[in-house]
Amino acid sequence: LFYTLKGDDGRETLILDATVFYPQGGGQPADTGFITATTTTFKFTVQDVRSKDGIVYHYGVTEGCSVEDPKKEIKEGTEVFLRVDETRRKLNSRLHSAGHLLDACLPNVGLGHLKPGKAYHFPDGPWVEYKGTVPQNELQTKQKEIEIEANGLISKGGKIIAAEMSYDEACEWCGGSLPDYIPKGSNPRIVKLGDNPGCPCGGTHVPDISEIRSLKVSQIRTKKGVTKVSYTVEA
């Protein structure tokens, strides 16, 4: 299945029967890249990807068509080749895995009472929020301790596994329970870093903790019952 629509912003939308492009979500930005047809000069530059009601929409612009209307050259059922921007995907994956690694670090530095909340894994300033507080006079010390713990785990390494599984199996992987937003009887996708408890996640990750390479905790602050840990990954 392959067809184009015209959006209000002038961009075209491609919908495929399957895709390797990651749609923005879970605090992770969308993949970008190219879609080409095997039999023509058609080239679609993917600028954004979103998912709605189980359908993935690729937004972008068409190049290289020999006709004014791409639909005349690219018909439904055309076979296409997908190429994801590898550099962008790898960075986003490192940032997302690093955010999960912070969750694993907290119990080891005496912050096990903090519970993961929202997260932002974009390159322009990633962070993870936790429900719970840290005393103001401990923030600077804990910032250093989290960074040391994270880089220790990165040096040690460990496989990162992502898999869909039954609700009961997911509960086991996640330490005995799942968040309320995961419907009972569903088959959630769980991500597990090394020997640490897993958690529901649909994002992309590096295959091993060591591939995060290096993590720096740039700031930790507590406000209105929420603790926010900002971080970066270094080349």
Side-chain angles (χ1 to χ4, degrees), residues 41-107:
T41 58
F42 170 87
K43 180 179 180 181
F44 185 83
T45 301
V46 180
Q47 299 172 331
D48 194 11
V49 187
R50 301 297 172 108
S51 178
K52 184 179 180 182
D53 298 328
I55 299 174
V56 177
Y57 299 85
H58 306 76
Y59 298 97
V61 294
T62 300
E63 308 169 32
C65 268
S66 58
V67 292
E68 188 173 324
D69 183 0
K71 288 184 183 179
K72 294 179 181 178
E73 187 170 317
I74 306 297
K75 296 179 172 58
E76 194 169 311
T78 300
E79 186 177 278
V80 291
F81 178 77
L82 313 182
R83 185 177 182 87
V84 171
D85 183 324
E86 184 179 8
T87 301
R88 177 185 172 95
R89 164 71 78 87
K90 283 185 173 180
L91 175 58
N92 291 339
S93 297
R94 288 175 62 214
L95 287 166
H96 203 146
S97 295
H100 282 248
L101 189 66
L102 290 175
D103 298 347
C105 291
L106 297 188

Side-chain angles (χ1 to χ4, degrees), residues 48-199:
D48 194 11
V49 187
R50 301 297 172 108
S51 178
K52 184 179 180 182
D53 298 328
I55 299 174
V56 177
Y57 299 85
H58 306 76
Y59 298 97
V61 294
T62 300
E63 308 169 32
C65 268
S66 58
V67 292
E68 188 173 324
D69 183 0
K71 288 184 183 179
K72 294 179 181 178
E73 187 170 317
I74 306 297
K75 296 179 172 58
E76 194 169 311
T78 300
E79 186 177 278
V80 291
F81 178 77
L82 313 182
R83 185 177 182 87
V84 171
D85 183 324
E86 184 179 8
T87 301
R88 177 185 172 95
R89 164 71 78 87
K90 283 185 173 180
L91 175 58
N92 291 339
S93 297
R94 288 175 62 214
L95 287 166
H96 203 146
S97 295
H100 282 248
L101 189 66
L102 290 175
D103 298 347
C105 291
L106 297 188
N108 300 337
V109 298
L111 297 177
H113 64 285
L114 298 181
K115 303 303 178 186
K118 295 187 295 182
Y120 181 82
H121 306 298
F122 284 56
D124 63 348
W127 48 262
V128 181
E129 280 188 352
Y130 299 92
K131 295 176 182 177
T133 60
V134 178
Q136 291 292 329
N137 62 346
E138 295 183 18
L139 289 176
Q140 192 170 356
T141 302
K142 292 302 181 185
Q143 179 176 333
K144 293 178 182 177
E145 289 180 358
I146 294 170
E147 185 173 307
I148 291 170
E149 179 68 19
N151 286 297
L153 292 174
I154 291 170
S155 297
K156 181 181 176 183
K159 287 186 178 180
I160 298 179
I161 301 171
E164 289 187 7
M165 58 190 66
S166 69
Y167 186 90
D168 290 341
E169 189 178 4
C171 282
E172 290 182 21
W173 272 45
C174 297
S177 64
L178 290 172
D180 293 338
Y181 62 81
I182 303 295
K184 290 185 178 180
S186 63
N187 296 299
R189 182 176 186 265
I190 303 300
V191 171
K192 193 173 188 294
L193 279 68
D195 298 328
N196 300 290
C199 71

